[in-house]
């Protein structure tokens, strides 16, 4: 039980989920939850764009790309909904029933952020490996462009 709680706490910290007091109004955490969500919107969006560097996608890359695109849509929809709620909070606050609804919305956002972490953790190493193989193949074909960390000597005319 203690191990499970420690693992859960570590996961929440990894996704940058804010700690929330049980007796506080959920609306007081809107900004922090939006920051967490924004972090994952950006990471998954950037990862989805990174697939464009490959001229051909194998089956695994294609599936990972589709998962990124779908999750990106989910994250963006959650962000839009949370932004609307935050406007209501700023303009006049929420009724108790709306606070309860917001608490449920936070749980959904939290789970989506954890899903984003899991996808990112699975896809990132595979993308890095595929990039490495692509560079190796290009080098073998004589098409290698220098790696970013390699400084090129300036050409003289």
């Amino acid at each position: 039980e203690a191990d499970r709680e420690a693992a859960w706490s570590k996961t929440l910290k990894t996704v940058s989920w804010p700690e929330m007091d049980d007796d506080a109004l959920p609306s007081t955490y809107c900004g922090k939850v939006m920051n967490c969500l924004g972090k994952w919107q950006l990471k998954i969006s950037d990862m989805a764009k990174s697939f464009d560097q490959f001229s051909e996608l194998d089956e695994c890359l294609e599936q990972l790309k589709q998962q990124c695109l779908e999750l990106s849509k989910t994250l963006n929809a959650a962000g839009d909904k949370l932004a609307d709620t935050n406007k209501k909070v700023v303009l006049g606050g929420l009724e108790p029933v709306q606070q309860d609804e917001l608490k449920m919305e936070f749980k959904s956002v939290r789970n989506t952020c954890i899903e984003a972490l899991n996808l990112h953790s699975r896809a990132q190493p595979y993308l890095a490996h595929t990039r490495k193989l692509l560079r190796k193949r290009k080098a073998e074909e004589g098409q290698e462009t220098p790696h970013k960390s390699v400084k090129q000597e300036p050409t003289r005319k």
Side-chain angles (χ1 to χ4, degrees):
E1 184 67 27
D3 289 342
R4 198 162 74 181
E5 282 185 35
W8 179 248
S9 180
K10 183 179 177 183
T11 298
L12 293 178
K13 187 173 261 189
T14 303
V15 296
S16 303
W17 190 256
E19 289 186 33
M20 299 183 192
D21 294 328
D22 290 335
D23 58 345
L25 291 174
S27 58
T28 60
Y29 294 103
C30 253
K32 290 180 179 183
V33 171
M34 288 176 64
N35 287 341
C36 175
L37 180 61
K39 170 186 172 178
W40 290 103
Q41 284 174 298
L42 184 61
K43 279 189 179 219
I44 297 301
S45 174
D46 286 350
M47 190 164 51
K49 290 175 189 170
S50 72
F51 288 94
D52 295 339
Q53 68 187 300
F54 305 109
S55 57
E56 296 177 20
L57 299 178
D58 64 20
E59 185 180 339
C60 185
L61 282 175
E62 186 61 47
Q63 288 180 8
L64 286 172
K65 179 181 179 179
Q66 291 308 313
Q67 289 176 13
C68 282
L69 293 172
E70 288 172 25
L71 186 54
S72 187
K73 286 180 188 175
T74 302
L75 288 164
N76 290 336
D80 292 344
K81 185 175 179 185
L82 200 52
D84 288 343
T85 301
N86 194 47
K87 286 177 193 172
K88 291 176 188 172
V89 169
V90 170
L91 293 174
L94 299 178
E95 297 295 322
V97 171
Q98 292 171 312
Q99 292 286 352
D100 291 339
E101 291 170 358
L102 183 58
K103 194 179 280 191
M104 295 304 293
E105 188 177 334
F106 281 176
K107 286 181 182 180
S108 176
V109 169
R110 181 197 63 208
N111 292 341
T112 303
C113 289
I114 292 170
E115 185 181 345
L117 168 68
N118 290 334
L119 177 59
H120 191 267
S121 298
R122 288 191 329 265
Q124 209 50 32
Y126 192 77
L127 280 167
H129 176 71
T130 303
R131 271 190 224 95
K132 187 177 179 181
L133 290 176
L134 185 61
R135 280 196 304 272
K136 184 177 178 182
R137 187 180 323 142
K138 283 184 177 182
E140 290 170 354
E141 295 171 357
Q143 301 174 1
E144 176 66 4
T145 55
H147 193 270
K148 290 179 183 175
S149 64
V150 177
K151 290 185 179 178
Q152 278 187 303
E153 293 295 320
T155 55
R156 295 184 182 164
K157 293 185 178 183

